[in-house]
């Protein structure tokens, strides 16, 4: 029986744990996501870099494989772990930790097993990247009338006519937005 570390089952064999956690975060209500949006934007950037590195490892195995565990060494902001936050952040931290552990074992894996694991990991990270990007920018249909948006960065948010804004900010948001492909987008300042 083969007991090499790379031969063990990896989470990317049948499911996509990083994407599943990102899907959970994307399901958070917009009023919950907006106050921690800066942290989510940073996280999305880190996941995007990990995706790029994992995809590069498929083409240039040596350099990218040695760099991938370091790129996956992410620490989530404490604000995402707060008791008042819905589930998802810890799930993402655990999934990324498992990805880092598996990426560290790729150096000892046979080329075929390493390629298969990298392909699945890159796909998982690509799905997570897309979901986090949506979670950071898409608030179409959200009811934000009771949210305090006073000191929040709103640039890049996409919204539609069904989005409900706080009364005191409604006109400012409308005039600070452009219509892009049928959806409003708040201009960066």
């Amino acid at each position: 029986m083969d007991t090499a570390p790379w031969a063990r089952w990896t989470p990317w064999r049948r499911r996509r744990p990083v994407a599943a956690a990102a899907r959970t975060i994307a399901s958070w209500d917009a009023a919950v996501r907006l106050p921690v949006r800066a942290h989510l934007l940073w996280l999305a950037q880190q996941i995007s870099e990990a995706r790029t590195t994992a995809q590069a490892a498929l083409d240039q195995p040596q350099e990218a494989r040695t760099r991938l565990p370091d790129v996956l060494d992410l620490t989530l902001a404490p604000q995402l772990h707060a008791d008042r936050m819905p589930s998802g952040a810890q799930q993402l931290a655990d999934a990324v930790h498992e990805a880092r552990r598996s990426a560290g074992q790729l150096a000892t894996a046979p080329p075929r097993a390493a390629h298969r694991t990298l392909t699945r990991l890159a796909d998982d990270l690509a799905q997570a990247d897309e979901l986090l990007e949506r979670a950071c920018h898409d608030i179409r249909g959200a009811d934000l009338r009771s949210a305090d948006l006073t000191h929040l960065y709103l640039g890049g948010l996409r919204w539609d006519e069904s989005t409900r804004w706080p009364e005191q900010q409604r006109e400012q948001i409308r005039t600070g937005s452009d219509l892009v492909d049928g959806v409003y987008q708040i201009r960066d300042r």
Side-chain angles (χ1 to χ4, degrees), residues 68 92 138 146 188:
L68 186 56
L92 183 65
D138 190 355
S146 62
D188 285 324

Side-chain angles (χ1 to χ4, degrees), residues 71-167:
V71 173
L72 287 167
D73 190 15
L74 305 178
T75 302
L76 270 63
Q79 293 84 344
L80 296 176
H81 288 293
D83 292 336
R84 64 185 178 355
M85 296 302 294
S87 67
Q90 187 59 48
Q91 179 186 0
L92 183 65
D94 293 344
V96 169
H97 177 74
E98 179 63 27
R100 184 176 192 272
R101 187 186 67 71
S102 293
Q105 295 174 348
L106 290 174
T108 61
R112 194 170 174 181
H115 188 273
R116 187 172 45 247
T117 299
L118 274 171
T119 300
R120 291 175 178 148
L121 176 57
D123 180 55
D124 186 22
L125 291 168
Q127 289 177 25
D129 187 18
E130 182 181 319
L131 288 161
L132 286 173
E133 193 278 329
R134 194 175 320 140
C136 290
H137 299 293
D138 190 355
I139 57 166
R140 290 178 288 175
D143 185 355
L144 302 168
R145 290 177 289 190
S146 62
D148 181 12
L149 307 177
T150 309
H151 301 289
L152 299 181
Y153 170 68
L154 303 177
L157 285 177
R158 292 184 296 267
W159 58 280
D160 59 14
E161 291 295 334
S162 64
T163 306
R164 301 293 170 235
W165 297 101
E167 187 69 38

Side-chain angles (χ1 to χ4, degrees), residues 3 7-8 12 23 33 39 42 48 58 61 69 78 84 90 105 125 130 149 159 162 165 176 178 180:
T3 58
R8 287 188 226 133
W12 296 279
R23 190 172 293 107
R33 282 184 281 137
H39 303 295
W42 178 85
S48 181
L58 291 168
R84 64 185 178 355
Q90 187 59 48
Q105 295 174 348
L125 291 168
E130 182 181 319
L149 307 177
W159 58 280
S162 64
W165 297 101
D178 296 317
V180 178

